[in-house]
Amino acid sequence: MHFTICHELDAPLDAVELAVLSPELGPRLASKVAALESVVTVEHALEGGELLRVLRFQASAPLPIFKGYPVTRDAMSWEERSTYRLADHASSWEVTPKAQWRSYFRSRGTYRLERLPDGRTRRRVDGDIEIRLHLLGPLVERLALAEVQRTYDAEADTLRELVSA
């Protein structure tokens, strides 16, 4: 399932980019998304005009469709690895679940900041989610996408806070 999520921020691209590069982004995000127990920065290295960031996410509960099923804690944990390039104000990202769950889930995409004519900035995330579960895959993809949307909405709020701090 392909998705595009856009947010417009009332700040210039340079200020938003500094917020995107901030090591505070992940930890602050965890406090804004009810479904997340934690977001831990595993790696945050800015070298040669590129930021390599790895965030480890731990969900607090399985998706509602899985309530009543024995879903392990590992199944609700994943890492997001992204490489943000200052030259084009964009990154590529990939979500990696724990090894035993990789055959069921895949997600990757791009993240781009765009300068708007009025001194504002658009943040655009394009991605794909693939969940390989017999019969339930498409339904779980839609539920997962709703959580992804909530998370990117919260990230946009976090960027606004970081820009104004």
Side-chain angles (χ1 to χ4, degrees), residues 136-153:
L136 291 177
L139 174 61
V140 176
E141 283 175 354
R142 287 191 300 277
L143 293 170
L145 182 54
E147 291 302 320
V148 168
Q149 177 73 50
R150 279 191 274 282
T151 301
Y152 278 115
D153 289 348

Side-chain angles (χ1 to χ4, degrees), residues 2-158:
H2 183 76
F3 66 88
T4 298
I5 299 170
C6 291
H7 288 92
E8 292 189 7
L9 306 166
D10 292 327
L13 187 140
D14 294 344
V16 174
E17 187 165 66
L18 283 174
V20 166
L21 297 174
S22 172
E24 291 294 312
L25 184 59
R28 284 193 183 201
L29 181 60
S31 68
K32 294 187 174 301
V33 181
L36 292 177
E37 180 179 302
S38 65
V39 179
V40 175
T41 303
V42 175
E43 188 168 353
H44 188 274
L46 182 59
E47 293 178 21
E50 291 188 346
L51 171 67
L52 171 62
R53 177 173 23 222
V54 179
L55 298 175
R56 181 175 298 131
F57 291 78
Q58 178 64 56
S60 54
L63 291 169
I65 192 172
F66 292 119
K67 284 194 185 226
Y69 290 95
V71 178
T72 68
R73 185 166 170 76
D74 277 356
M76 300 184 306
S77 179
W78 64 92
E79 288 187 350
E80 180 186 285
R81 177 182 208 83
S82 63
T83 303
Y84 185 88
R85 296 168 306 283
L86 293 169
D88 60 355
H89 313 293
S91 69
S92 53
W93 55 266
E94 182 171 10
V95 172
T96 307
K98 299 276 185 171
Q100 66 268 34
W101 305 108
R102 289 183 190 153
S103 63
Y104 301 103
F105 178 86
R106 192 177 89 176
S107 186
R108 63 177 45 126
T110 59
Y111 182 112
R112 177 173 306 281
L113 298 179
E114 302 167 354
R115 197 177 316 269
L116 296 175
D118 57 358
R120 299 172 70 226
T121 304
R122 177 181 298 120
R123 196 244 357 234
R124 178 184 172 122
V125 181
D126 290 291
D128 293 290
I129 294 176
E130 181 184 359
I131 297 177
R132 293 177 294 278
L133 292 174
H134 188 64
L135 298 176
L136 291 177
L139 174 61
V140 176
E141 283 175 354
R142 287 191 300 277
L143 293 170
L145 182 54
E147 291 302 320
V148 168
Q149 177 73 50
R150 279 191 274 282
T151 301
Y152 278 115
D153 289 348
E155 186 192 87
D157 289 342
T158 304

